[in-house]
């Protein structure tokens, strides 16, 4: 899942060697969860579990529980990267939510750089102290 506001320098290590979720990390409550990946043809499928409930899905405040599971699909055709995520959360959602697919054009310039950004942005500072959610 592409976490809203994530810095371009954020990254995850996603094993793609066929291993299952780590039994300990899958029960931890992490910001990025415990992810494992596999290839389905030319599509990389990433399955992530073990999230905490401190983040929101999108900038509008769509909350989730610590039971959330996210399945991401990445595929590339030429210089176009296609990304789609499905969120499964039996504590909050009646059915899985499938986000609209995003298509990103790859920058093929040899002078391309990833600019450094602030590591965190507060979008709702007035409500950050309590458990109030939108």
């Amino acid at each position: 899942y592409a976490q809203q506001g994530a810095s371009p320098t954020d990254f995850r290590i996603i094993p793609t060697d066929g291993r299952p979720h780590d039994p300990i990390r899958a029960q931890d409550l992490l910001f990025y969860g415990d992810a494992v990946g596999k290839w389905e043809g030319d599509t990389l499928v990433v399955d992530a579990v073990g999230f905490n409930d401190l983040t929101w899905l999108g900038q509008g405040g769509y909350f989730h529980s610590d039971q959330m599971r996210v399945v991401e699909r990445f595929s590339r055709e030429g210089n176009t990267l296609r990304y789609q995520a499905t969120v499964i959360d039996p504590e909050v959602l009646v059915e899985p939510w499938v986000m609209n697919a995003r298509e990103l054009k790859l920058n093929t310039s040899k002078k391309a750089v990833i600019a450094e950004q602030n590591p965190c942005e507060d979008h709702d500072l007035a409500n950050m102290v309590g458990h109030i959610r939108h």
Side-chain angles (χ1 to χ4, degrees):
Y1 77 106
Q3 188 173 19
Q4 188 74 21
S7 167
T9 56
D10 288 349
F11 66 91
R12 299 178 291 165
I13 296 173
I14 303 170
T16 58
D17 59 2
R19 72 179 78 174
H21 287 284
D22 180 280
I24 303 298
R25 286 186 50 87
Q27 293 181 25
D28 287 344
L29 300 178
L30 308 166
F31 283 101
Y32 289 112
D34 177 59
V36 293
K38 66 179 179 180
W39 287 97
E40 292 180 358
D42 291 338
T43 301
L44 175 62
V45 179
V46 177
D47 179 42
V49 298
F51 293 96
N52 64 38
D53 64 354
L54 301 175
T55 61
W56 292 342
L57 301 173
Q59 192 170 332
Y62 301 111
F63 64 92
H64 61 83
S65 77
D66 61 4
Q67 298 300 304
M68 178 176 71
R69 170 181 229 116
V70 179
V71 178
E72 301 166 280
R73 296 181 178 279
F74 299 86
S75 58
R76 180 177 174 180
E77 187 173 316
N79 286 331
T80 301
L81 181 67
R82 187 168 193 269
Y83 172 80
Q84 187 170 42
T86 300
V87 177
I88 302 126
D89 189 342
E91 298 288 318
V92 176
L93 301 172
V94 174
E95 59 187 36
W97 174 70
V98 180
M99 71 171 275
N100 293 331
R102 294 178 63 190
E103 288 189 353
L104 305 167
K105 296 292 182 191
L106 299 178
N107 184 344
T108 58
S109 170
K110 293 187 185 306
K111 296 183 179 186
V113 297
I114 297 176
E116 197 170 314
Q117 293 182 346
N118 293 331
C120 185
E121 293 180 23
D122 292 330
H123 294 285
D124 192 17
L125 190 57
N127 292 312
M128 294 292 278
V129 177
H131 292 290
I132 299 171
R133 297 186 184 204
H134 299 292

